[in-house]
Amino acid sequence: MNEHSAVEAAYLTPRRESARCRLVPAPDRTVDAPAHPLLDLVAVHDEVSGRDLLRLSVRPLDGERVQDRARAFTALDNEILAGVRLARASHGPPPAELSRLVGYRDDPAEPFALLEPYRGEPLDAVLGRRLLFEEERAAFREGLFRALFWLQACEVVHRDIRPGTVRWDGGGVQVCGFTSATVAGVARESVGVGPWASHEQRAAVGRCDPRDDVWSAGLVLFQALSGHDVSGGGILSLDGHPGLAVQLEGVFAGEAEERPGAGELLARVSGAVPPHRTGVGDHLRQGRTRFRENRERKRLAAGWAPPDGDGSAPEGPAPRAPAAPAPGGPPPRAAAREEEPVGGTGRSGYVGLALLLVLMVAVSVALFLRFG
């Protein structure tokens, strides 16, 4: 949409309720550039609801490569998928520490997402002017860990937590920018850049884990509270910040399984963890399947066809990450070699034989009872 046009459209809320909007540009409000170069994020006013919103969409075709446009559609889908899951798994509006999806149009012709305006400004903009005041630090630390806690509870992995996607308004944190987000348990893809993304994530090995975000958030917190720019990588000077070192203990472990969860981190700084429902219901998993089908339709509408080895996440067990040094931590332990069975029947084969035997016994009993 240009600065003089109005867009009338139907959309769905995160709970799949139909709604209509008439969006007019709000050029007096500035917004951040989205992470993907082919996405547009513009401030709009909805004349139907009377709300100020953000509209995220894919830019009109302008000679870009089909693969790049397909990635842009995927980034938009990620924002929608994360917003829907956070809204529905939170039993109400997501907490203030997370950006909120108002609605979306999941249409191959012109998909878009409507978001509530972000709070505050990116942390890197704040730190470019000043350090956090002493009275702000506890609120920043607790707010960041609370955001991680809710992401973990909803089984969402952000994959792009850094000073540009963590915002601060002087009293509270907000994590936004879910264009790289996915769900826990899927095979990792190479997403993000160092040092903010963990080495397993950058290497695309193993499966996505909420503790991937713990690594990223730990670096953000260290930069916010210590004043050291960690964007160049290297060893963190935790020895000069003993209190922060205690709170970040284990955060930079070489593997996600060895890092503390968000609930433990929140308990370290607040002494309490809010109650939440663990696990995600089947209705959300079914919705994700529909979402993947719609994504493929949008890719095909853009003219994209998956080449061999297009980087899609493979099914089945994913390889483990190679050990990598953690910032400011001890050298990693040597990884134990995982032996593959050589010939013969593997574990899955024994399970199949056992199930077949049980089935044969059940059939025999049924025949005996029926015919004597």
Side-chain angles (χ1 to χ4, degrees):
M1 61 188 299
N2 60 52
E3 63 177 283
H4 301 294
S5 64
V7 173
E8 295 190 45
Y11 67 91
L12 295 175
T13 69
R15 299 187 180 279
R16 298 191 62 80
E17 300 164 338
S18 297
R20 295 198 64 82
C21 61
R22 187 175 192 276
L23 306 176
V24 295
D28 55 321
R29 291 164 45 211
T30 59
V31 297
D32 305 329
H36 196 285
L38 295 186
L39 291 181
D40 268 333
L41 183 64
V42 296
V44 295
H45 178 75
D46 179 15
E47 293 183 337
V48 175
S49 66
R51 303 173 67 179
D52 291 330
L53 301 170
L54 298 175
R55 182 179 187 268
L56 183 68
S57 61
V58 179
R59 291 182 179 177
L61 183 64
D62 189 24
E64 299 89 2
R65 294 190 310 162
V66 172
Q67 293 90 338
D68 292 335
R69 292 190 60 77
R71 293 189 186 98
F73 280 118
T74 297
L76 176 60
D77 286 346
N78 291 341
E79 183 82 44
I80 296 172
L81 176 65
V84 168
R85 178 168 286 230
L86 291 172
R88 298 184 69 182
S90 297
H91 293 289
E97 290 84 3
L98 300 172
S99 60
R100 297 178 180 180
L101 177 72
V102 173
Y104 62 96
R105 178 182 172 91
D106 187 24
D107 186 298
E110 192 178 0
F112 62 79
L114 296 177
L115 309 168
E116 289 188 5
Y118 298 149
R119 295 190 299 111
E121 58 183 328
L123 179 65
D124 50 9
V126 176
L127 297 179
R129 298 193 311 270
R130 65 173 178 88
L131 298 178
L132 295 184
F133 301 131
E134 190 65 34
E135 58 271 20
E136 294 178 309
R137 297 185 176 190
F140 182 88
R141 181 172 50 233
E142 184 170 341
L144 182 59
F145 288 162
R146 191 177 299 275
L148 288 186
F149 172 78
W150 282 106
L151 290 175
Q152 176 182 302
C154 297
E155 299 180 17
V156 172
V157 185
H158 188 283
R159 299 198 296 183
D160 192 28
I161 291 180
R162 51 186 170 81
T165 57
V166 175
R167 303 175 72 88
W168 177 247
D169 66 359
V173 167
Q174 186 176 60
V175 174
C176 63
F178 285 84
T179 55
S180 295
T182 189
V183 295
V186 302
R188 287 191 181 101
E189 300 173 89
S190 183
V191 175
V193 296
W196 309 110
S198 69
H199 66 92
E200 316 104 300
Q201 183 176 307
R202 298 196 305 273
V205 290
R207 296 196 173 275
C208 290
D209 189 301
R211 289 165 292 188
D212 296 345
D213 289 340
V214 164
W215 170 291
S216 308
L219 289 174
V220 170
L221 184 64
F222 182 81
Q223 179 160 317
L225 301 191
S226 71
H228 292 286
D229 184 359
V230 303
S231 59
I235 302 299
L236 298 185
S237 54
L238 285 170
D239 292 343
H241 305 273
L244 190 53
V246 171
Q247 293 164 358
L248 294 178
E249 182 180 357
V251 164
F252 303 118
E255 295 184 3
E257 293 81 1
E258 299 171 346
R259 298 172 198 144
E264 180 180 341
L265 293 175
L266 185 56
R268 289 180 187 178
V269 301
S270 68
V273 176
H276 69 286
R277 181 185 67 182
T278 57
V280 174
D282 289 338
H283 65 291
L284 290 181
R285 295 190 174 92
Q286 294 167 3
R288 178 169 172 80
T289 299
R290 291 195 302 269
F291 211 89
R292 283 174 170 168
E293 293 171 352
N294 286 343
R295 171 179 292 179
E296 293 308 311
R297 285 198 293 271
K298 281 182 279 189
R299 286 182 167 187
L300 293 175
W304 177 84
D308 293 336
D310 65 337
S312 299
E315 298 294 334
R320 293 175 64 86
R333 298 189 301 270
R337 182 180 177 186
E338 296 184 354
E339 298 291 343
E340 293 290 334
V342 181
T345 303
R347 180 178 178 182
S348 60
Y350 287 122
V351 172
L353 290 174
L355 291 175
L356 180 61
L357 179 61
V358 170
L359 180 61
M360 293 175 62
V361 171
V363 171
S364 300
V365 171
L367 291 174
F368 176 80
L369 292 176
R370 182 176 179 83
F371 300 105

PDB file of all heavy atoms in Angstrom, residues 183-201:
ATOM      1  N   VAL A 183       8.588 -23.870  15.792  1.00  0.00           N
ATOM      2  CA  VAL A 183       8.133 -24.584  16.973  1.00  0.00           C
ATOM      3  C   VAL A 183       9.230 -25.524  17.452  1.00  0.00           C
ATOM      4  O   VAL A 183      10.065 -25.986  16.668  1.00  0.00           O
ATOM      5  CB  VAL A 183       6.833 -25.367  16.699  1.00  0.00           C
ATOM      6  CG1 VAL A 183       5.695 -24.421  16.387  1.00  0.00           C
ATOM      7  CG2 VAL A 183       7.017 -26.357  15.563  1.00  0.00           C
ATOM      8  N   ALA A 184       9.216 -25.806  18.729  1.00  0.00           N
ATOM      9  CA  ALA A 184      10.230 -26.682  19.305  1.00  0.00           C
ATOM     10  C   ALA A 184      10.101 -28.091  18.730  1.00  0.00           C
ATOM     11  O   ALA A 184       9.001 -28.578  18.466  1.00  0.00           O
ATOM     12  CB  ALA A 184      10.075 -26.714  20.826  1.00  0.00           C
ATOM     13  N   GLY A 185      11.240 -28.734  18.528  1.00  0.00           N
ATOM     14  CA  GLY A 185      11.257 -30.123  18.099  1.00  0.00           C
ATOM     15  C   GLY A 185      11.481 -30.338  16.620  1.00  0.00           C
ATOM     16  O   GLY A 185      11.793 -31.463  16.207  1.00  0.00           O
ATOM     17  N   VAL A 186      11.330 -29.296  15.779  1.00  0.00           N
ATOM     18  CA  VAL A 186      11.602 -29.485  14.349  1.00  0.00           C
ATOM     19  C   VAL A 186      13.107 -29.431  14.117  1.00  0.00           C
ATOM     20  O   VAL A 186      13.863 -28.893  14.937  1.00  0.00           O
ATOM     21  CB  VAL A 186      10.886 -28.414  13.496  1.00  0.00           C
ATOM     22  CG1 VAL A 186       9.390 -28.448  13.726  1.00  0.00           C
ATOM     23  CG2 VAL A 186      11.443 -27.026  13.774  1.00  0.00           C
ATOM     24  N   ALA A 187      13.551 -29.987  13.012  1.00  0.00           N
ATOM     25  CA  ALA A 187      14.981 -29.976  12.713  1.00  0.00           C
ATOM     26  C   ALA A 187      15.478 -28.542  12.566  1.00  0.00           C
ATOM     27  O   ALA A 187      14.805 -27.688  11.981  1.00  0.00           O
ATOM     28  CB  ALA A 187      15.252 -30.762  11.433  1.00  0.00           C
ATOM     29  N   ARG A 188      16.645 -28.280  13.129  1.00  0.00           N
ATOM     30  CA  ARG A 188      17.199 -26.931  13.052  1.00  0.00           C
ATOM     31  C   ARG A 188      17.575 -26.584  11.609  1.00  0.00           C
ATOM     32  O   ARG A 188      17.971 -27.447  10.837  1.00  0.00           O
ATOM     33  CB  ARG A 188      18.447 -26.810  13.933  1.00  0.00           C
ATOM     34  CG  ARG A 188      18.160 -26.768  15.428  1.00  0.00           C
ATOM     35  CD  ARG A 188      19.419 -26.376  16.183  1.00  0.00           C
ATOM     36  NE  ARG A 188      19.199 -26.332  17.632  1.00  0.00           N
ATOM     37  CZ  ARG A 188      19.564 -27.297  18.463  1.00  0.00           C
ATOM     38  NH1 ARG A 188      20.168 -28.373  17.992  1.00  0.00           N
ATOM     39  NH2 ARG A 188      19.342 -27.190  19.756  1.00  0.00           N
ATOM     40  N   GLU A 189      17.447 -25.295  11.299  1.00  0.00           N
ATOM     41  CA  GLU A 189      17.931 -24.738  10.052  1.00  0.00           C
ATOM     42  C   GLU A 189      18.972 -23.677  10.381  1.00  0.00           C
ATOM     43  O   GLU A 189      18.999 -23.163  11.498  1.00  0.00           O
ATOM     44  CB  GLU A 189      16.790 -24.113   9.252  1.00  0.00           C
ATOM     45  CG  GLU A 189      15.686 -25.082   8.872  1.00  0.00           C
ATOM     46  CD  GLU A 189      14.515 -24.376   8.232  1.00  0.00           C
ATOM     47  OE1 GLU A 189      14.519 -24.223   6.999  1.00  0.00           O
ATOM     48  OE2 GLU A 189      13.613 -23.957   8.971  1.00  0.00           O
ATOM     49  N   SER A 190      19.797 -23.341   9.428  1.00  0.00           N
ATOM     50  CA  SER A 190      20.816 -22.329   9.660  1.00  0.00           C
ATOM     51  C   SER A 190      20.156 -20.956   9.629  1.00  0.00           C
ATOM     52  O   SER A 190      19.925 -20.383   8.568  1.00  0.00           O
ATOM     53  CB  SER A 190      21.911 -22.417   8.591  1.00  0.00           C
ATOM     54  OG  SER A 190      22.935 -21.481   8.860  1.00  0.00           O
ATOM     55  N   VAL A 191      19.814 -20.460  10.810  1.00  0.00           N
ATOM     56  CA  VAL A 191      19.101 -19.194  10.956  1.00  0.00           C
ATOM     57  C   VAL A 191      19.870 -18.326  11.944  1.00  0.00           C
ATOM     58  O   VAL A 191      20.342 -18.809  12.971  1.00  0.00           O
ATOM     59  CB  VAL A 191      17.664 -19.424  11.471  1.00  0.00           C
ATOM     60  CG1 VAL A 191      16.960 -18.100  11.742  1.00  0.00           C
ATOM     61  CG2 VAL A 191      16.866 -20.245  10.475  1.00  0.00           C
ATOM     62  N   GLY A 192      19.983 -17.052  11.630  1.00  0.00           N
ATOM     63  CA  GLY A 192      20.631 -16.135  12.547  1.00  0.00           C
ATOM     64  C   GLY A 192      22.120 -16.006  12.282  1.00  0.00           C
ATOM     65  O   GLY A 192      22.698 -16.711  11.451  1.00  0.00           O
ATOM     66  N   VAL A 193      22.737 -15.093  12.987  1.00  0.00           N
ATOM     67  CA  VAL A 193      24.162 -14.809  12.843  1.00  0.00           C
ATOM     68  C   VAL A 193      24.824 -14.836  14.215  1.00  0.00           C
ATOM     69  O   VAL A 193      24.173 -14.652  15.246  1.00  0.00           O
ATOM     70  CB  VAL A 193      24.392 -13.431  12.178  1.00  0.00           C
ATOM     71  CG1 VAL A 193      23.847 -13.428  10.761  1.00  0.00           C
ATOM     72  CG2 VAL A 193      23.734 -12.314  12.989  1.00  0.00           C
ATOM     73  N   GLY A 194      26.124 -15.079  14.198  1.00  0.00           N
ATOM     74  CA  GLY A 194      26.888 -15.054  15.438  1.00  0.00           C
ATOM     75  C   GLY A 194      27.141 -13.624  15.873  1.00  0.00           C
ATOM     76  O   GLY A 194      27.161 -12.720  15.047  1.00  0.00           O
ATOM     77  N   PRO A 195      27.295 -13.431  17.160  1.00  0.00           N
ATOM     78  CA  PRO A 195      27.275 -14.454  18.206  1.00  0.00           C
ATOM     79  C   PRO A 195      25.879 -14.718  18.767  1.00  0.00           C
ATOM     80  O   PRO A 195      25.720 -15.551  19.650  1.00  0.00           O
ATOM     81  CB  PRO A 195      28.154 -13.830  19.289  1.00  0.00           C
ATOM     82  CG  PRO A 195      27.850 -12.370  19.191  1.00  0.00           C
ATOM     83  CD  PRO A 195      27.659 -12.099  17.715  1.00  0.00           C
ATOM     84  N   TRP A 196      24.857 -13.982  18.247  1.00  0.00           N
ATOM     85  CA  TRP A 196      23.535 -14.046  18.889  1.00  0.00           C
ATOM     86  C   TRP A 196      22.900 -15.422  18.759  1.00  0.00           C
ATOM     87  O   TRP A 196      22.242 -15.894  19.698  1.00  0.00           O
ATOM     88  CB  TRP A 196      22.632 -12.972  18.291  1.00  0.00           C
ATOM     89  CG  TRP A 196      23.262 -11.617  18.290  1.00  0.00           C
ATOM     90  CD1 TRP A 196      23.710 -10.906  17.217  1.00  0.00           C
ATOM     91  CD2 TRP A 196      23.571 -10.823  19.441  1.00  0.00           C
ATOM     92  NE1 TRP A 196      24.263  -9.724  17.622  1.00  0.00           N
ATOM     93  CE2 TRP A 196      24.198  -9.636  18.985  1.00  0.00           C
ATOM     94  CE3 TRP A 196      23.389 -10.990  20.813  1.00  0.00           C
ATOM     95  CZ2 TRP A 196      24.626  -8.639  19.843  1.00  0.00           C
ATOM     96  CZ3 TRP A 196      23.820  -9.991  21.673  1.00  0.00           C
ATOM     97  CH2 TRP A 196      24.436  -8.842  21.189  1.00  0.00           C
ATOM     98  N   ALA A 197      23.023 -16.071  17.612  1.00  0.00           N
ATOM     99  CA  ALA A 197      22.469 -17.406  17.446  1.00  0.00           C
ATOM    100  C   ALA A 197      23.462 -18.432  17.979  1.00  0.00           C
ATOM    101  O   ALA A 197      24.666 -18.314  17.764  1.00  0.00           O
ATOM    102  CB  ALA A 197      22.170 -17.674  15.965  1.00  0.00           C
ATOM    103  N   SER A 198      22.953 -19.442  18.660  1.00  0.00           N
ATOM    104  CA  SER A 198      23.828 -20.478  19.210  1.00  0.00           C
ATOM    105  C   SER A 198      24.516 -21.233  18.080  1.00  0.00           C
ATOM    106  O   SER A 198      24.054 -21.250  16.937  1.00  0.00           O
ATOM    107  CB  SER A 198      23.011 -21.458  20.066  1.00  0.00           C
ATOM    108  OG  SER A 198      22.139 -22.221  19.248  1.00  0.00           O
ATOM    109  N   HIS A 199      25.632 -21.879  18.415  1.00  0.00           N
ATOM    110  CA  HIS A 199      26.403 -22.567  17.371  1.00  0.00           C
ATOM    111  C   HIS A 199      25.620 -23.722  16.773  1.00  0.00           C
ATOM    112  O   HIS A 199      25.741 -24.014  15.582  1.00  0.00           O
ATOM    113  CB  HIS A 199      27.735 -23.062  17.942  1.00  0.00           C
ATOM    114  CG  HIS A 199      27.589 -24.119  18.982  1.00  0.00           C
ATOM    115  ND1 HIS A 199      27.600 -25.458  18.690  1.00  0.00           N
ATOM    116  CD2 HIS A 199      27.418 -24.028  20.331  1.00  0.00           C
ATOM    117  CE1 HIS A 199      27.457 -26.155  19.810  1.00  0.00           C
ATOM    118  NE2 HIS A 199      27.338 -25.316  20.817  1.00  0.00           N
ATOM    119  N   GLU A 200      24.747 -24.414  17.576  1.00  0.00           N
ATOM    120  CA  GLU A 200      23.954 -25.506  17.002  1.00  0.00           C
ATOM    121  C   GLU A 200      22.980 -24.973  15.964  1.00  0.00           C
ATOM    122  O   GLU A 200      22.732 -25.602  14.931  1.00  0.00           O
ATOM    123  CB  GLU A 200      23.151 -26.250  18.076  1.00  0.00           C
ATOM    124  CG  GLU A 200      23.903 -26.562  19.348  1.00  0.00           C
ATOM    125  CD  GLU A 200      23.481 -25.606  20.452  1.00  0.00           C
ATOM    126  OE1 GLU A 200      23.661 -24.396  20.278  1.00  0.00           O
ATOM    127  OE2 GLU A 200      22.950 -26.081  21.460  1.00  0.00           O
ATOM    128  N   GLN A 201      22.418 -23.802  16.253  1.00  0.00           N
ATOM    129  CA  GLN A 201      21.459 -23.218  15.320  1.00  0.00           C
ATOM    130  C   GLN A 201      22.153 -22.779  14.036  1.00  0.00           C
ATOM    131  O   GLN A 201      21.657 -23.028  12.933  1.00  0.00           O
ATOM    132  CB  GLN A 201      20.771 -22.024  15.985  1.00  0.00           C
ATOM    133  CG  GLN A 201      19.692 -21.374  15.128  1.00  0.00           C
ATOM    134  CD  GLN A 201      18.994 -20.258  15.874  1.00  0.00           C
ATOM    135  OE1 GLN A 201      18.506 -20.442  16.982  1.00  0.00           O
ATOM    136  NE2 GLN A 201      18.951 -19.078  15.271  1.00  0.00           N
TER     137      GLN A 201
END
